[in-house]
Amino acid sequence: MRVLVCGGAGYIGSHMVRELIRAGHTPVVFDNLSTGHHWALEAAFKGAAEKGLEPELITGDILNLGDVDDLFEKRPIDAVMHFSARSLVSESVLRPDLYYHGILVGSLNLLAAANQARVDKIIFSSTAAVYGTPEEMPIEESCPTQPITPYGQATKMVEMILEDYAQAHGLKSVALRYFNAAGADPGGDLGEEHQPETHLIPNVLKAILGQTPPLEIFGNDYPTPDGTPIRDYVFVGDVARAHLLALDFLDRQPRPGFSAFNIGSGRGFSVMEVMAAAERVTGQWVPYKFAHRRPGDPPVLVASAEKAKKELGWDPEVTSLDEIIRSAWNWFRQRAESPA
Ligand code: UFG
């Protein structure tokens, strides 16, 4: 299958590209390389030639309809995976304009071009942020979606648009609501690199490596046992694998429709617990200090992934937080020794 991977040079996107190649599919990557990396794609494309696959990178902007139309006009595409969007909860609170514009216009452009080219399968990168501050844990897909941030709101709107496209244009789509994707490919050549880095596990490891000042813990007055927020960390390779299963799921669907699935491990860890795990894995102390809460952070987000298990056949293979952190630690140490 030829799969368009929008945002394929990013953190989760590049792990996806590697999984697609492993599974014998041809990724067509579309990325503006604003936050994605050339080196990530070089690594992800490795092994394609041996399989007789010819992956490609098309540099363009999803916010430019001309670029997106061009993409579909010039090559056959069987399915679309849409990773192209900003995804920082607190940034979205400060810059709603960037998030509503980027997420909505980008998704509408992609849907318009895909529909024009009669591509009827789309997998969308959604987020736990669509749930806002849920009252029940673990969170099931049937829980109300009441986002508390522009990132969550805009992403929820895209889910609604996908649902409407099923009715109007016969689209089959899946939204994968990621919880906290983390870790790095065990091969050691693909991992997380954001500028600036805002995510917890990379920041903990960078503080240990002395690459950043002490870790700031954003709030220790949350209604949780140790006062710091609890999140569900899910291995990035498992997140990518969920998309392959979602592709099979879409192929099996006799009719157009939209489905949402939580992609999380089902277990929650506080910021302090993540720090303790990082200390176990690295054998080093994390230098840290407490700081104010970050806007838009709910106290607890933990997935029920039962629906994904039942309907997609998805189960995370890497279930230990220590193992997730170990993979990230290998990656950051290796990067510190030989930056791209
Ligand atoms: N945190 C710190 N210090 C840091 C970084 C993070 O204390 O330097 C805390 C945050 O306050 C939060 C937790 O660690 O409580 C996790 O924060 P991340 O930034 O790693 O992740 P988020 O939970 O904010 O967001 C991630 C993705 C979003 C997605 C969300 C769903 O970035 O795209 O998970 O749970 F929507």
Side-chain angles (χ1 to χ4, degrees):
M1 213 185 265
R2 288 173 68 84
V3 182
L4 175 64
V5 188
C6 297
Y11 168 47
I12 304 176
S14 59
H15 284 80
M16 186 70 243
V17 167
R18 173 165 284 175
E19 282 296 328
L20 283 166
I21 290 171
R22 281 189 183 141
H25 298 299
T26 302
V28 176
V29 175
F30 180 66
D31 203 300
N32 66 358
L33 296 174
S34 66
T35 55
H37 309 282
H38 247 294
W39 57 256
L41 276 184
E42 273 171 31
F45 282 176
K46 265 190 235 151
E50 287 80 350
K51 288 186 168 255
L53 303 174
E54 291 180 14
E56 48 178 334
L57 164 66
I58 294 130
T59 313
D61 194 338
I62 197 168
L63 297 179
N64 180 344
L65 185 56
D67 283 1
V68 189
D69 274 339
D70 214 37
L71 186 65
F72 284 92
E73 273 163 23
K74 294 207 171 122
R75 58 192 61 71
I77 300 286
D78 301 303
V80 174
M81 293 183 179
H82 177 16
F83 296 86
S84 298
R86 293 171 189 273
S87 59
L88 300 178
V89 174
S90 57
E91 184 183 58
S92 81
V93 177
L94 303 173
R95 291 297 308 271
D97 55 329
L98 288 182
Y99 277 71
Y100 283 108
H101 182 76
I103 293 173
L104 293 175
V105 175
S107 300
L108 286 169
N109 282 349
L110 191 55
L111 282 169
N115 184 41
Q116 178 82 14
R118 301 193 184 286
V119 177
D120 67 349
K121 288 191 278 287
I122 293 196
I123 300 173
F124 172 59
S125 300
S126 184
T127 166
V130 297
Y131 294 111
T133 308
E135 280 167 17
E136 283 177 29
M137 286 300 147
I139 307 167
E140 293 181 357
E141 289 82 351
S142 54
C143 287
T145 48
Q146 293 168 330
I148 54 168
T149 59
Y151 170 50
Q153 294 275 28
T155 306
K156 177 181 167 176
M157 287 175 196
V158 175
E159 290 194 359
M160 292 159 67
I161 295 169
L162 289 172
E163 212 163 346
D164 291 342
Y165 263 65
Q167 190 91 20
H169 303 297
L171 186 71
K172 295 179 183 176
S173 65
V174 158
L176 297 179
R177 295 176 177 163
Y178 312 156
F179 283 63
N180 289 56
D185 189 275
D189 58 348
L190 266 188
E192 192 164 8
E193 192 164 293
H194 297 115
Q195 283 299 342
E197 186 52 77
T198 62
H199 293 107
L200 179 63
I201 293 177
N203 279 352
V204 166
L205 299 177
K206 286 176 170 224
I208 290 177
L209 286 166
Q211 292 177 353
T212 54
L215 176 79
E216 287 191 308
I217 296 182
F218 300 129
N220 61 344
D221 57 351
Y222 283 91
T224 60
D226 65 21
T228 63
I230 293 175
R231 293 288 181 276
D232 178 329
Y233 296 89
V234 53
F235 184 60
V236 62
D238 284 324
V239 174
R241 224 166 27 79
H243 293 71
L244 287 183
L245 294 166
L247 263 189
D248 294 343
F249 171 87
L250 288 177
D251 270 338
R252 289 196 302 273
Q253 297 313 300
R255 279 178 295 282
F258 166 80
S259 311
F261 296 95
N262 288 341
I263 300 298
S265 73
R267 286 165 317 132
F269 295 94
S270 71
V271 173
M272 299 307 282
E273 287 171 331
V274 168
M275 272 184 19
E279 288 176 349
R280 274 196 303 276
V281 167
T282 64
Q284 298 185 53
W285 297 113
V286 181
Y288 74 92
K289 61 179 187 184
F290 290 114
H292 291 298
R293 287 186 180 198
R294 206 171 57 171
D297 277 347
V300 185
L301 290 172
V302 179
S304 158
E306 287 305 309
K307 186 179 174 198
K309 190 174 184 169
K310 213 159 111 201
E311 295 184 33
L312 300 181
W314 180 79
D315 231 346
E317 283 173 2
V318 178
T319 53
S320 127
L321 177 64
D322 287 24
E323 204 178 322
I324 293 175
I325 294 179
R326 189 167 300 114
S327 70
W329 178 235
N330 290 341
W331 161 251
F332 281 108
R333 267 192 317 183
Q334 182 267 109
R335 269 325 255 175
E337 281 161 22
S338 55

